[in-house]
Amino acid sequence: MIISDKQELRRCVKQLVRRANVCEASLDFDVEHGEVGVEAMLDLWARPAVTPGEALLRSTADQTPFSPDARAMFAALDALDLPVKDLDRAKTLQLEYERPAYLREVLDTLRAKCVLVRVKAGHASAAVFEDDRFEPLLVAESERFAPGRYGVDYAGAARMLADAAAVCGARNIAPERFDLEALKYCLLPLCQDGGYALHVHLSSEEEIARFALLLDEFDGVRALVSADHSAQKRLIDEAAQRVRMLVCLDGTDELAYALERLGTRFVAFSAGARLPEQMLGRWLLEKEKIWQVMSEAYLPLARTGYELESSAIERDVRRILCDNLLSLCRSEQT
């Protein structure tokens, strides 16, 4: 279907983004044993109290809950058809679910195709997920690169990480924090030899420049790279020259710039959540921003007479919200 006017374009993009499947790049949560539910969400932002209802009352009696964690909680409750105004009742309804069924409901509501769960290498044997939409993102702890009497045993660290990845079935590896030497002498060679995808967060333009040059040295390795907000434009510029560098944005501030420089070769959002429900709420809220930015990005094309088809828009949405990350996470490097 060809889109004929601005309002039709906005409706089309809004519907496609809202209904799109998503892939999440980083959930920092113990899937098997971590606390879930209303009280766990309240613990992120509300004042402690005996019951969820009391916690909400104490935290909103003299102020509106503008906290991002509060917004994510309310968005998740609403999407899960749990009462937002009666948290005690919401807790009761939530507890009627068996824990695995509740997590499935969260993933179904999110429309999740894949959620990468951060698993420290030392805990790899415990990373057994009942729902195959959860996949391990193996985290290499920084202490594994601490120097000993004879320096850092990068080869030993690589063997240990390869063993940990085999135990939990991980196809994605991330350093706990940026360490150029560990990347150069352990993680990038490991990813090159083992076919893993590398995930890394960079804090500055200097780190981005150094990592980009380093990645060039390791043929075949693909990396999902995020950056602090102030450095995201530089990251996008570096990725525009490197097809093996996939940018992961943290929000919509640079979404239009990413579309201009990268087309649809990037990941539009990662919730980076500590709870499954927080992940759900953050995604729901971010989708409302994403469709608006994308609508504005299509307008200049539409005004030139370029024929925008709904199928093409659906393809674009699918790529930046799901398919690009899914392809990186589940495909061996080439």
Side-chain angles (χ1 to χ4, degrees):
M1 181 182 75
I2 295 176
I3 308 299
S4 59
D5 60 58
K6 178 179 179 179
Q7 293 306 315
E8 186 179 359
L9 173 63
R10 286 176 62 85
R11 284 193 299 271
C12 177
V13 177
K14 177 167 65 175
Q15 290 177 359
L16 289 172
V17 171
R18 284 179 172 177
R19 297 173 183 174
N21 294 326
V22 306
C23 287
E24 169 55 43
S26 178
L27 175 62
D28 193 5
F29 175 71
D30 182 348
V31 172
E32 293 302 303
H33 306 291
E35 292 293 327
V36 296
V38 175
E39 290 184 334
M41 287 187 278
L42 281 168
D43 285 344
L44 296 176
W45 67 276
R47 301 171 188 171
V50 175
T51 69
E54 290 175 359
L56 180 63
L57 183 61
R58 291 185 61 187
S59 302
T60 61
D62 58 355
Q63 61 182 354
T64 301
F66 290 111
S67 159
D69 289 331
R71 294 198 300 267
M73 184 191 82
F74 293 128
L77 289 172
D78 183 59
L80 293 168
D81 291 326
L82 296 173
V84 173
K85 295 181 180 180
D86 186 350
L87 296 192
D88 292 333
R89 176 63 175 159
K91 177 184 175 182
T92 299
L93 293 172
Q94 168 241 314
L95 290 175
E96 292 179 358
Y97 286 90
E98 294 289 337
R99 192 175 186 279
Y102 179 71
L103 289 175
R104 285 197 299 272
E105 183 68 18
V106 171
L107 295 187
D108 290 346
T109 305
L110 177 60
R111 297 177 179 266
K113 296 286 285 186
C114 175
V115 174
L116 289 176
V117 181
R118 296 177 68 85
V119 175
K120 290 188 176 182
H123 300 152
S125 60
V128 180
F129 305 138
E130 183 174 320
D131 193 312
D132 61 9
R133 288 172 291 183
F134 288 121
E135 292 197 17
L137 170 59
L138 192 69
V139 177
E141 303 97 331
S142 295
E143 57 262 30
R144 300 196 181 275
F145 307 115
R149 184 175 182 180
Y150 299 103
V152 180
D153 183 9
Y154 290 116
R159 287 193 295 272
M160 183 282 303
L161 290 170
D163 290 344
V167 165
C168 66
R171 288 173 280 189
N172 300 267
I173 294 178
E176 191 168 35
R177 61 182 58 89
F178 179 77
D179 180 334
L180 193 67
E181 298 297 301
L183 286 165
K184 183 174 183 178
Y185 295 113
C186 178
L187 295 174
L188 279 163
L190 174 63
C191 289
Q192 188 176 53
D193 293 342
Y196 306 107
L198 178 67
H199 296 235
V200 63
H201 180 82
L202 306 171
S203 300
S204 65
E205 293 191 9
E206 179 184 0
E207 286 185 0
I208 292 169
R210 294 168 74 186
F211 177 76
L213 292 175
L214 185 59
L215 183 63
D216 291 343
E217 299 178 18
F218 291 86
D219 294 338
V221 177
R222 291 185 297 163
L224 181 74
V225 188
S226 59
D228 284 1
H229 192 74
S230 61
Q232 284 190 2
K233 276 195 173 180
R234 175 63 183 272
L235 177 60
I236 291 167
D237 289 339
E238 292 290 348
Q241 307 171 53
R242 295 170 172 86
V243 296
R244 293 186 288 112
M245 183 185 289
L246 185 64
V247 171
C248 183
L249 300 179
D250 65 356
T252 55
D253 286 355
E254 304 301 342
L255 177 55
Y257 187 70
L259 288 167
E260 291 175 2
R261 297 284 283 127
L262 301 172
T264 57
R265 189 176 59 81
F266 65 96
V267 175
F269 182 64
S270 172
R274 292 164 52 194
L275 295 173
E277 304 98 331
Q278 184 187 45
M279 171 181 66
L280 168 61
R282 287 181 179 179
W283 263 106
L284 292 172
L285 294 170
E286 198 64 26
K287 277 186 170 185
E288 292 305 299
K289 299 178 183 178
I290 289 172
W291 76 255
Q292 294 179 61
V293 175
M294 290 194 73
S295 295
E296 293 301 315
Y298 284 118
L299 275 178
L301 271 176
R303 287 168 176 160
T304 66
Y306 181 87
E307 290 188 346
L308 280 169
E309 296 189 11
S310 58
S311 59
I313 296 173
E314 182 178 13
R315 174 204 60 204
D316 296 343
V317 169
R318 190 173 60 244
R319 284 179 177 173
I320 67 172
L321 296 187
C322 184
D323 286 1
N324 288 338
L325 181 56
L326 194 65
S327 175
L328 179 85
C329 291
R330 295 186 173 176
S331 299
E332 292 188 358
Q333 315 301 331
T334 56

